[in-house]
Amino acid sequence: MKKTITIIAIMFTFWMNAQEINISGNVQSQKENEPLINVGVAFYDATTNDIITYAYSDFDGMFKIKLTAKPFYIKASLLGFKTYKSEVFKLSKSTTINIKMQQSNEILDEVVITAKKKIIRMSGDKMIVDVVSAGIGDGNNGIETLSKLPGMRMDKDENILFRGDGNLQILINGKPSLLTGNELKQYLKSLNGDVIKSVEIIANPSAKYAASGTGGIINIILKHNTRTGLTGTAFTSFGYAETFKQGNGISLFNNTKKWNINAGIYTNYNESVNHRKVVQVATNTNGIKRLEQKNDWYPIGRSYLAKIGAAYQLSKKANIGGTIQYNLGNSDEKTTGRTDEFFNINFTKYTLLNTTLKSSNNTLTSTMYYSFATDSLKTKIDAQISYANYDNKITRTTKNQFLDAVTNLNYLPDNDVINKNPTLYQILNSKIDVSHKFSNKFTIETGLKHSYVANNYDLILKEKNEQNEYILDPLRSNKLLYKENITAFYGIGNYQLEKWNFQAGLRVEHINYKATSVTDNTANNGKNTSFFPSLSINRTLEKNQYKLAYSRRIQRPRYLDLNPFFKYVDTYNIEVGNPNLKPQYTNVFDFTWVHNRKTSISIYSKLTTDMIDHIFDYDQNTQITTLYKGNVASATFVGASFNTNFEATKWWNVQLNGDFSFNHLKSDILSNSYNIKSNSFNASIDQNFKLKKDWSFSWNTYYQSAGNYGNIHQFAVYDMSIGVKKYFLHKKLRLNLKAYDILQNSMWHSTITQNNVVTDWVNRSETRRISLSLHYNFGNGKKKRVKEATLQEEERRL
């Protein structure tokens, strides 16, 4: 009996010693708390110091392994970081281990890594594209890099579209870029593609993000250098099409153990031209009226941007920082044109147009933030307060001459108008986000945001009388005051179960606004509360990833779209606001499959009610077209997008993008009714050829098919671009020569059909152009951005 008990005890002891436990963990940088990829994590026997097994961290910095229950310790190593060694663990059950790695300041010789990373992965509501592995950032600017991502392309004006939708939020390192319109476009152009680490495409944003926008969110993640000290990038570029363009910039970064300071100055000079041709035909019982309008627009723009930011590490757990940014832009524009009028086939009269415009835009934006994270990263707190002041001034002088086609004499007096439009915006918002990890499987995140907007908008129109004096026209002048408060609260739950991830959230936004016309002493106000749920389900396997997501979105009217007074464009066109304009709501569904982290296929749909779109109201008696926005239609969009990247040879890389969509738009508005179904698709091929001695060659082609969008028919667009790149001075200096749209077939051409009026519209801008750019990187310090203000939702509606 004693012998049996002894044998059982020995076997039980052996079983206990041989028991396997599941160990999972995450590896992060100590300073930024960012996931570290491809970290070698080795497990050593604490008694013999022999290696037991090893693992590598994945794209989220995670690793998993099974280990016999006995004393062990861990060593983790990664180039640019100090080797991590843990204490001795004596574990008898499964657990999670958090590893924090400290960056090394040692200057290392150049290391060539030949292993290829995977390009695409999914995490939560994000599709993350590794720009470095894909090879699409090197030699391109920020806009060109974004245009090569799955489902993304540029339109004729170099605006970024995602699945054909330009209503995007652009973030830099998770924070709004602070810029809109042309200023944002110029900043992205000044951004080197080779400093972009990855891009997060959030087609269905979770409840954490503002609910505005139907095109989703694009978050640009910049690279981090591992060294402290001073570093910088200087660039200059020259371009020519029909006119001249030039840009310069310098960015400086300086890091110490506690401080992170960055500054930058950027300038841009841009001459441009747009040739517009509009043919409008109105048919009625009396005959056919035809207008043929040709306008040439010559703008000259100058912009200047200066920014400085600083961050200070209060402790290992807390950081504080802030940024100040100033933008100055001005433009001198000239438009000349002629409009010929025909009745049936007879040329009856014509109008000559001459317009000059001067504008200035001054923007000052600032922010302060505080962030806190516990050592275990179980609890994170991020608080911010931001302020922005926009001071914009526009003065337009327009002269029209009305001439008889037979006599070439005036049949009406000349119309001479000065239109001034000074506008002042102020935006103040504050937000706080808190997340807490209750276990290795379950995390809760919540937050609160409040924004306040004050808008002072003046429209001053003066017309020259017979005494050559400009007299105020009170019927066409207006002063509008707009104030808005939006309070938002959200909550998100995230549950991780083996290879499954579930995330659900709800965002509540309450808006209270008032628009007051000082001129006629009227007011338009309202308030409402909206709910925005979100859901995502992810499944991750060895070579395949799947994501199913849903979110509800809103697009609020631009502030000035609510202004009931009209803006004078020319003799035949005016714009007017709509105080009854309501927000549009969209339900977005998305299913994505990623294979081998290189190929992605997405199927998506957008169901929109009260869609905001332009309405063209043509008056046959005055021949004036009034343009305004209304809640014109319900819309259904269904699409599929495809993206893959592969190496045809060691020196030839190919990326394929394609997007197909079906849309159904229905409008019951009497003067703007339609019920139209249409298909469209776009495709692009980007090829890069690596040559000897640091030379490379690129060839990009794209095609956008024709399609119908409501009562608008859009014609097909196609073109191609080529480029040559060369590195000098140990790859510190890069020269890039590129020719864009060589075929010169990238233009806006559409036909608008509304009742008995058909308008054919062609905009031909100088898309065919050549550019030469130089970029120089200097210093050995660490490049790190400071958090910026979160004002993008409000800015997008300016």
Side-chain angles (χ1 to χ4, degrees):
M1 183 69 179
K2 291 183 179 179
K3 184 177 181 181
T4 303
I5 294 175
T6 303
I7 293 174
I8 293 174
I10 294 172
M11 292 180 63
F12 179 78
T13 303
F14 176 79
W15 177 82
M16 284 295 295
N17 290 334
Q19 182 185 1
E20 283 191 338
I21 58 175
N22 294 315
I23 297 178
S24 62
N26 65 81
V27 189
Q28 295 182 325
S29 61
Q30 183 173 337
K31 200 165 187 179
E32 291 87 11
N33 293 324
E34 291 186 343
L36 296 179
I37 303 169
N38 287 336
V39 177
V41 183
F43 294 77
Y44 289 85
D45 188 313
T47 304
T48 65
N49 293 321
D50 293 332
I51 188 168
I52 305 171
T53 186
Y54 64 92
Y56 288 94
S57 61
D58 62 17
F59 283 89
D60 297 312
M62 306 296 294
F63 63 89
K64 290 182 179 180
I65 206 164
K66 289 186 177 181
L67 195 67
T68 302
K70 59 182 176 181
F72 68 91
Y73 61 90
I74 295 174
K75 284 187 178 181
S77 59
L78 180 66
L79 185 66
F81 288 80
K82 295 181 179 179
T83 299
Y84 169 89
K85 184 177 179 180
S86 72
E87 59 184 7
V88 174
F89 294 95
K90 298 179 180 179
L91 304 176
S92 59
K93 61 181 180 177
S94 300
T95 190
T96 299
I97 299 174
N98 299 310
I99 298 175
K100 289 292 191 68
M101 298 191 69
Q102 185 178 352
Q103 293 166 341
S104 173
N105 294 327
E106 296 179 4
I107 299 177
L108 303 174
D109 294 332
E110 182 180 3
V111 176
V112 178
I113 301 175
T114 57
K116 289 284 183 181
K117 294 182 183 178
K118 304 300 183 181
I119 294 172
I120 302 172
R121 66 186 175 99
M122 289 189 291
S123 176
D125 55 359
K126 306 176 181 68
M127 175 192 283
I128 305 170
V129 181
D130 191 316
V131 172
V132 178
S133 297
I136 59 178
D138 197 14
N140 294 312
N141 63 37
I143 285 184
E144 293 166 341
T145 301
L146 292 180
S147 70
K148 300 178 185 301
L149 297 173
M152 303 191 70
R153 62 181 176 88
M154 284 191 290
D155 68 6
K156 65 179 181 62
D157 297 317
E158 295 185 311
N159 297 308
I160 289 295
L161 306 179
F162 177 56
R163 296 174 179 172
D165 194 339
N167 191 12
L168 294 165
Q169 296 183 48
I170 304 292
L171 310 181
I172 307 292
N173 285 344
K175 302 300 175 184
S177 59
L178 301 179
L179 301 173
T180 59
N182 287 328
E183 288 78 13
L184 174 59
K185 191 186 306 181
Q186 294 304 324
Y187 172 74
L188 291 175
K189 284 184 176 181
S190 70
L191 190 66
N192 293 335
D194 54 10
V195 304
I196 299 176
K197 175 183 176 183
S198 60
V199 176
E200 298 176 351
I201 302 174
I202 312 174
N204 266 335
S206 68
K208 176 179 180 178
Y209 301 98
S212 62
T214 57
I217 295 174
I218 305 301
N219 183 23
I220 302 172
I221 307 298
L222 302 179
K223 292 179 182 177
H224 290 276
N225 197 307
T226 59
R227 305 181 187 117
T228 58
L230 179 66
T231 190
T233 300
F235 74 89
T236 185
S237 64
F238 304 88
Y240 186 81
E242 294 181 45
T243 55
F244 179 71
K245 305 97 171 47
Q246 206 269 324
N248 303 287
I250 184 170
S251 299
L252 297 173
F253 307 84
N254 188 48
N255 291 306
T256 65
K257 186 175 181 180
K258 291 286 188 179
W259 283 96
N260 166 221
I261 300 173
N262 67 60
I265 298 176
Y266 312 92
T267 67
N268 184 72
Y269 174 84
N270 185 58
E271 297 179 19
S272 186
V273 63
N274 183 281
H275 306 292
R276 186 181 73 173
K277 181 179 180 181
V278 180
V279 178
Q280 188 175 75
V281 179
T283 305
N284 54 42
T285 56
N286 297 325
I288 300 175
K289 288 185 178 181
R290 179 184 178 92
L291 298 179
E292 294 184 359
Q293 185 181 78
K294 293 182 179 180
N295 285 351
D296 294 318
W297 175 50
Y298 300 95
I300 299 176
R302 299 172 178 83
S303 62
Y304 310 89
L305 165 64
K307 61 181 296 185
I308 185 169
Y312 181 74
Q313 185 175 350
L314 297 171
S315 66
K316 291 183 179 180
K317 299 180 181 180
N319 293 273
I320 191 170
T323 61
I324 297 177
Q325 180 168 295
Y326 178 71
N327 304 299
L328 171 63
N330 56 67
S331 179
D332 293 306
E333 304 176 11
K334 182 178 181 180
T335 303
T336 59
R338 172 177 171 138
T339 302
D340 294 336
E341 298 186 32
F342 298 82
F343 184 73
N344 291 328
I345 60 172
N346 299 316
F347 178 30
T348 59
K349 50 191 174 181
Y350 62 97
T351 302
L352 300 180
L353 170 69
N354 195 311
T355 298
T356 60
L357 182 145
K358 293 183 180 295
S359 67
S360 65
N361 305 287
N362 295 271
T363 304
L364 179 66
T365 309
S366 61
T367 185
M368 291 188 65
Y369 79 90
Y370 170 81
S371 61
F372 173 86
T374 59
D375 288 337
S376 62
L377 298 181
K378 282 189 175 181
T379 303
K380 298 180 183 178
I381 300 173
D382 189 4
Q384 282 195 142
I385 183 168
S386 305
Y387 171 78
N389 185 84
Y390 303 82
D391 187 1
N392 305 330
K393 294 180 175 65
I394 298 176
T395 300
R396 179 190 288 108
T397 302
T398 302
K399 182 177 182 180
N400 288 285
Q401 295 176 275
F402 308 97
L403 305 171
D404 185 272
V406 177
T407 64
N408 292 320
L409 298 177
N410 284 65
Y411 67 89
L412 285 176
D414 292 348
N415 178 247
D416 203 336
V417 173
I418 290 181
N419 191 335
K420 293 187 177 181
N421 183 202
T423 308
L424 181 67
Y425 300 93
Q426 290 181 315
I427 299 175
L428 177 67
N429 74 36
S430 56
K431 59 174 290 189
I432 183 169
D433 300 291
V434 179
S435 67
H436 182 74
K437 183 181 291 187
F438 288 90
S439 68
N440 295 327
K441 295 181 178 180
F442 185 61
T443 301
I444 286 286
E445 185 173 359
T446 186
L448 182 68
K449 175 185 176 182
H450 179 79
S451 68
Y452 169 77
V453 175
N455 170 18
N456 189 332
Y457 176 83
D458 275 328
L459 186 62
I460 304 167
L461 191 143
K462 296 182 179 182
E463 189 169 2
K464 184 181 287 188
N465 61 14
E466 295 179 354
Q467 289 74 38
N468 288 327
E469 299 174 329
Y470 285 100
I471 305 300
L472 178 69
D473 186 344
L475 297 179
R476 293 189 285 176
S477 301
N478 181 39
K479 183 179 182 67
L480 179 73
L481 302 178
Y482 181 87
K483 294 184 178 180
E484 172 187 278
N485 287 276
I486 297 180
T487 302
F489 172 80
Y490 76 89
I492 298 174
N494 188 294
Y495 184 74
Q496 185 72 40
L497 180 63
E498 295 297 330
K499 297 183 181 298
W500 290 89
N501 178 267
F502 303 88
Q503 180 174 284
L506 178 66
R507 185 179 185 90
V508 182
E509 293 187 355
H510 177 78
I511 182 173
N512 185 348
Y513 70 89
K514 182 176 183 180
T516 303
S517 174
V518 178
T519 305
D520 57 7
N521 195 28
T522 60
N524 177 35
N525 57 67
K527 61 176 67 175
N528 65 74
T529 301
S530 300
F531 297 86
F532 303 96
S534 65
L535 172 69
S536 69
I537 302 173
N538 285 266
R539 169 76 165 165
T540 302
L541 302 175
E542 182 68 24
K543 291 187 176 182
N544 297 289
Q545 299 175 77
Y546 306 92
K547 181 190 73 172
L548 178 65
Y550 161 78
S551 68
R552 186 173 189 245
R553 313 294 295 161
I554 186 174
Q555 181 178 332
R556 295 187 175 88
R558 293 176 65 246
Y559 307 124
L560 298 184
D561 290 337
L562 301 170
N563 187 358
F565 278 70
F566 65 80
K567 183 174 72 173
Y568 183 87
V569 179
D570 58 37
T571 304
Y572 299 95
N573 297 276
I574 62 174
E575 293 182 16
V576 65
N578 180 5
N580 297 316
L581 193 61
K582 300 183 296 183
Q584 74 173 36
Y585 292 90
T586 302
N587 290 296
V588 184
F589 300 86
D590 177 63
F591 174 77
T592 299
W593 168 44
V594 175
H595 175 65
N596 205 27
R597 308 211 182 194
K598 279 192 174 184
T599 302
S600 68
I601 297 177
S602 295
I603 301 173
Y604 57 90
S605 67
K606 299 178 183 180
L607 310 177
T608 300
T609 57
D610 293 324
M611 188 182 79
I612 298 175
D613 202 0
H614 287 98
I615 298 176
F616 298 84
D617 188 5
Y618 176 73
D619 189 319
Q620 296 189 24
N621 295 321
T622 63
Q623 299 182 15
I624 292 176
T625 299
T626 301
L627 176 65
Y628 63 97
K629 288 185 178 179
N631 300 102
V632 300
S634 60
T636 300
F637 289 89
V638 179
S641 63
F642 168 81
N643 171 269
T644 191
N645 183 295
F646 63 91
E647 285 188 346
T649 67
K650 291 183 179 180
W651 47 267
W652 181 14
N653 184 269
V654 181
Q655 179 167 326
L656 304 177
N657 284 286
D659 190 271
F660 172 84
S661 65
F662 164 82
N663 67 79
H664 178 199
L665 280 75
K666 183 179 180 181
S667 173
D668 295 323
I669 295 179
L670 184 61
S671 61
N672 195 61
S673 62
Y674 49 79
N675 187 355
I676 296 177
K677 300 177 182 179
S678 176
N679 301 317
S680 66
F681 69 92
N682 66 80
S684 66
I685 304 175
D686 298 322
Q687 302 177 77
N688 188 67
F689 304 87
K690 294 182 179 179
L691 309 177
K692 295 180 179 181
K693 297 183 178 179
D694 292 329
W695 285 90
S696 64
F697 173 76
S698 63
W699 180 18
N700 316 116
T701 56
Y702 63 91
Y703 177 83
Q704 171 67 46
S705 74
N708 295 320
Y709 306 91
N711 58 0
I712 300 175
H713 174 76
Q714 185 70 44
F715 289 84
V717 173
Y718 59 90
D719 226 307
M720 58 182 289
S721 302
I722 58 174
V724 177
K725 179 180 61 180
K726 167 67 174 172
Y727 283 100
F728 302 90
L729 303 177
H730 304 289
K731 292 194 174 184
K732 287 188 174 183
L733 176 65
R734 187 185 76 226
L735 180 147
N736 207 39
L737 178 66
K738 197 160 189 178
Y740 298 86
D741 293 346
I742 297 172
L743 304 179
Q744 204 174 10
N745 198 61
S746 178
M747 62 180 175
W748 172 271
H749 185 193
S750 64
T751 300
I752 305 166
T753 303
Q754 188 170 340
N755 295 329
N756 62 330
V757 180
V758 178
T759 304
D760 187 86
W761 192 304
V762 177
N763 269 355
R764 184 182 290 277
S765 56
E766 45 173 359
T767 57
R768 179 194 285 175
R769 66 191 188 280
I770 188 168
S771 71
L772 175 67
S773 62
L774 293 169
H775 292 80
Y776 180 71
N777 298 319
F778 56 90
N780 294 313
K782 174 185 176 182
K783 300 177 183 177
K784 179 184 175 185
R785 300 280 182 177
V786 180
K787 290 187 179 181
E788 298 178 338
T790 53
L791 300 173
Q792 179 152 339
E793 179 188 358
E794 293 78 11
E795 289 176 326
R796 292 170 65 249
R797 297 167 57 207
L798 297 184

